[in-house]
Amino acid sequence: QNNIKTFRHNSQTFDFQKLNKKFDLIFVDGDHSYNGVLKDTEKVFSLLKDENSIIVWHDYGINCEEVRHEVLAAILDGTPEQHRKNLYHVSNTMCAVFMRGDFNTLRMEPISYPTKVFDLNIEMRPFKKP
């Protein structure tokens, strides 16, 4: 596709300003360390094209329900304060996104842990023919 370009570089050392471009969608899939995600997050906001541009962070979650706390902390610390209200966890994914807009959202509920334990005893008896 002529309108999709993929850049594969080390984001910690790559000079994005050399691209002389702004982007509609930025997909961040770095090393998942606090410092790595923090640097990536700080850099990408200057690369957004317009008010409709989106940032997606992959592996924000350990799984679809559990957050990687070091990644969340880095996203929050690297996101300009005025944009933090536009950060979302995308349900049923391990991704977080930055998107401007009015969305119907739900508070993520943690996994429900059982509150009861059942014991089951099985007893063997002779079978009686009718």
Side-chain angles (χ1 to χ4, degrees):
Q1 307 261 353
N2 292 338
N3 60 346
I4 297 176
K5 293 185 178 150
T6 303
F7 300 95
R8 296 180 189 268
H9 295 276
N10 182 337
S11 62
Q12 303 301 299
T13 58
F14 186 72
D15 180 7
F16 289 94
Q17 301 309 320
K18 287 182 181 178
L19 297 173
N20 199 26
K21 294 252 183 199
K22 300 288 183 173
F23 300 92
D24 296 314
L25 174 67
I26 299 172
F27 187 83
V28 179
D29 189 11
D31 66 6
H32 312 123
S33 71
Y34 172 85
N35 288 328
V37 176
L38 177 66
K39 286 182 181 181
D40 285 345
T41 301
E42 290 172 338
K43 289 178 183 180
V44 294
F45 277 91
S46 67
L47 301 172
L48 296 175
K49 183 177 178 182
D50 57 33
E51 295 294 310
N52 297 314
S53 297
I54 298 170
I55 302 169
V56 178
W57 290 268
H58 189 253
D59 291 333
Y60 151 83
I62 296 167
N63 56 45
C64 296
E65 294 177 329
E66 294 179 273
V67 173
R68 275 183 211 266
H69 294 286
E70 67 277 12
V71 172
L72 172 59
I75 292 170
L76 290 172
D77 290 346
T79 297
E81 189 173 343
Q82 71 272 21
H83 294 314
R84 290 181 190 149
K85 67 179 186 259
N86 301 111
L87 295 172
Y88 302 95
H89 173 130
V90 180
S91 64
N92 300 314
T93 75
M94 296 187 308
C95 295
V97 297
F98 165 80
M99 291 177 29
R100 294 175 184 98
D102 238 353
F103 304 103
N104 291 329
T105 61
L106 300 171
R107 180 174 281 287
M108 191 169 106
E109 296 296 328
I111 297 172
S112 297
Y113 290 96
T115 58
K116 298 177 186 117
V117 176
F118 296 91
D119 289 323
L120 177 66
N121 293 312
I122 299 176
E123 179 183 329
M124 185 178 85
R125 293 176 289 151
F127 179 74
K128 295 181 183 177
K129 291 183 182 180

